[in-house]
Amino acid sequence: MEFGGPFFKEFAAAWSEKDGYRLSRTLYPDLPTEKLRKIWRSQNEHDIKGALRRGLQNSGAALEGLVNNETQGWIEVYIAYWKAVGDILAARESSSDNSKSSQVVWDKACDAWRDLLIVLIRGYQNHGFEAWTIPCLYVVGRHLRLFSIKADDERSINNSFDDNTATNFQDDVDPETGKHEKLEECARVLNRMFMLCATDRAPIEESRKWGIYYIVNLLLKTYFKLNSVSLSKNVLRMLAAGQQDMPAFSAFPKSQQVTFKYHEGVLYFWEENYVEAEKHLTHAWNLCHKDAIRNKELILTYLIPCHLITTHTLPTEKLLEPYPRLQKLFLPLCRCIKKGELHLFDLALQEGEEEFVRRRIYLTLERGRDIALRNLLRKVFIARGFEDAKEGEKPVRRSRVPIAEFAAAISLGSQEKVDNDEVECHLANMIYKVSQASVTFSRSRFGSIAISPFPQ
Amino acid sequence: MASTQTTSKKDDKAAETKPDQQQQAAAEPKPAALEEDDEFEDFPVDDWQTEETEAASGDGTTQHLWEESWDDDDTSDDFSAQLKEELKKVEASRKR
């Protein structure tokens, strides 16, 4: 909104209702170019400070408790916003102008927007900004992340363009260095924003702690993009340390709860702590909005492998039905695990390798091979049928299975011969890993397995 | 003599596969560029009622999500039939 009468009215209205979301809308950057131009042209470098001072003081917000020191803070915020708008406008105009396509245009806009966030943070530190205004932090923080990604992308496209025209022989230069330069700077400022909220000592009802999960989510998303598990874990640790002075987790909006639980779950997943991971991912799943298909898909991408490891069971077709992408990702593997088709399992894993590795679920899924093997061995056991029953007694399964039969089953798909020692080794491993019941296995001409060798 | 023949054959093979590989390499960056973002999306709304959650849209349990058991007792499929054949062969050869 350009800096004129309506703007000051809007500011005062947000103030009288103490509506932080309404106030935060005066700091939006993603407006139509025409509107941005109006904002930019409504002021100039020389007059803006005086105009804002007069406007804010006369807006009626003063009657609602806006004090002088605070006014000074907001003046600085809006000056920083106005400057950033100018740079965003310039970036938009030159990126639509094709003749300058190889130029880096978003760098400057990104820097100006970061300055805005720093000024805003300072408002809370030095000018006594109240906690109800924290949605302003959300808006500015969220867009800083977006501008940073945009600036980094733009630079890397230009760099690859340069690499093509002039061959670069410097092998020792790491192309990854500086690839996320802006996003890394952004993460540092977001981290300051996190500390600003985490360390607030005000009573809980007027505390900036209410902003913490929004900001943590923003920070975790950023660290995920930067591929930094350790920094993400740091945030969780700091959060856990301050837990006793925090409002209850369930008191936060569900969008924040779900986003947080998803990231927490995925972090545990990457640490191979599948029990914890499943707990958090299930929490995220249950609270997730039923229409948020893409997010539900992401939750399941990790929840399904998790569940496979913790309970050895597979997703039902009904669960996967609404998600064609997940069907493509998991169904071939699931089918092979269920049927015990070892060879096809290996092929399916190979087939999806690139995708699995990208999502960091390959190693987890690889462990599904044990389950496929277990299911195959069970089929051999079932296929042996029953002992000849004595009259009046229940038939008993034939529990003595020749090693050769297991061997034949294992090599069935691949047609690769396995020798008996290897099969015995597999069996011993299976018994160790899978079976919790007491099972005997003696080395003889037959593998001898006691009753109920395939416990649930 | 034999060895030179095999190497020349190998070379032929390599020459044949090369254009394919190059084509593949040229095609590869494309899906990467089109690759969808893996990021968790911002929800369009901040908060919602319990009735609108995933848990409420099902029957309130997670039972329907997962198969009840890992045992596959369906023995009518091709693989099970193939397996049975194979096991019969093993048994037959042992009896001999």
Side-chain angles (χ1 to χ4, degrees), chain A residues 145 221 254-255 285-288 290 294-296 312 314 316 325 338-339 358 374 378 456, chain B residues 36-42 46-48 52 54-55 64-65 67 70-73 77 80:
Chain A
R145 194 173 155 276
K221 260 188 179 175
K254 291 192 184 62
S255 62
W285 171 264
N286 284 338
L287 279 187
C288 193
K290 59 181 167 38
R294 176 65 184 144
N295 282 346
K296 288 201 293 183
H312 310 124
L314 300 163
T316 57
R325 223 180 330 205
K338 193 172 164 104
K339 296 280 161 214
R358 196 168 68 80
R374 178 268 180 196
R378 181 175 177 274
Q456 287 294 314
Chain B
E36 235 177 291
D37 218 340
D38 286 341
E39 231 166 58
F40 207 70
E41 290 176 355
D42 289 335
D46 197 35
D47 209 352
W48 46 86
E52 285 172 299
E54 181 58 34
H64 62 291
L65 304 182
E67 300 205 338
W70 55 343
D71 292 338
D72 175 35
D73 291 324
D77 59 309
S80 297

Side-chain angles (χ1 to χ4, degrees), chain B residues 16-79:
Chain B
E16 269 170 30
T17 53
K18 231 180 180 176
D20 270 353
Q21 279 173 347
Q22 274 173 350
Q23 269 181 359
Q24 261 188 2
E28 255 168 28
K30 243 186 173 176
L34 292 172
E35 165 187 305
E36 235 177 291
D37 218 340
D38 286 341
E39 231 166 58
F40 207 70
E41 290 176 355
D42 289 335
F43 288 98
V45 284
D46 197 35
D47 209 352
W48 46 86
Q49 298 299 313
T50 314
E51 297 83 64
E52 285 172 299
T53 61
E54 181 58 34
S57 76
D59 50 9
T61 64
T62 51
Q63 282 305 313
H64 62 291
L65 304 182
W66 313 103
E67 300 205 338
E68 280 173 23
S69 151
W70 55 343
D71 292 338
D72 175 35
D73 291 324
D74 171 21
T75 51
S76 59
D77 59 309
D78 289 353
F79 180 70

Side-chain angles (χ1 to χ4, degrees), chain A residues 82-222:
Chain A
W82 176 77
K83 281 184 184 155
V85 163
D87 287 326
I88 293 165
L89 205 55
R92 278 199 197 169
E93 277 162 357
S94 61
S95 53
S96 62
D97 180 357
N98 287 329
S99 63
K100 295 181 192 164
S101 61
S102 73
Q103 226 178 20
V104 182
V105 293
W106 282 99
D107 236 53
K108 209 175 158 213
C110 175
D111 288 346
W113 197 259
R114 191 173 50 248
D115 288 342
L116 168 62
L117 182 54
I118 291 169
V119 170
L120 189 61
I121 290 173
R122 214 177 284 146
Y124 291 90
Q125 290 166 334
N126 301 342
H127 296 281
F129 286 9
E130 289 171 46
W132 65 267
T133 62
I134 45 177
C136 296
L137 282 173
Y138 301 168
V139 164
V140 177
R142 184 173 80 228
H143 285 97
L144 175 59
R145 194 173 155 276
L146 298 176
F147 286 137
S148 302
I149 292 170
K150 204 166 183 168
D152 284 334
D153 284 351
E154 179 189 64
R155 205 178 46 253
S156 72
I157 288 169
N158 280 324
N159 284 349
S160 66
F161 182 70
D162 290 345
D163 285 347
N164 287 342
T165 48
T167 317
N168 196 342
F169 288 106
Q170 287 170 299
D171 287 341
D172 53 341
V173 176
D174 180 4
E176 294 291 306
T177 313
K179 192 178 150 205
H180 292 300
E181 185 193 323
K182 292 287 167 195
L183 195 59
E184 280 167 12
E185 283 176 36
C186 164
R188 280 191 283 275
V189 185
L190 292 182
N191 198 44
R192 279 171 62 185
M193 202 160 108
F194 167 64
M195 295 308 290
L196 177 76
C197 293
T199 55
D200 191 12
R201 290 271 162 259
I204 212 72
E205 52 280 6
E206 50 194 73
S207 168
R208 290 192 294 266
K209 285 192 169 139
W210 287 103
I212 220 163
Y213 280 102
Y214 188 99
I215 294 166
V216 162
N217 287 334
L218 209 53
L219 202 50
L220 286 176
K221 260 188 179 175
T222 308

Side-chain angles (χ1 to χ4, degrees), chain A residues 334-342 344 375-376 378-380 382-383 412, chain B residues 71-86:
Chain A
C334 289
R335 215 165 275 150
C336 299
I337 290 173
K338 193 172 164 104
K339 296 280 161 214
E341 294 185 76
L342 282 185
L344 288 184
N375 289 348
L376 177 65
R378 181 175 177 274
K379 284 205 162 172
V380 176
I382 299 282
L412 182 59
Chain B
D71 292 338
D72 175 35
D73 291 324
D74 171 21
T75 51
S76 59
D77 59 309
D78 289 353
F79 180 70
S80 297
Q82 218 183 331
L83 182 67
K84 263 186 203 147
E85 276 307 301
E86 196 68 23

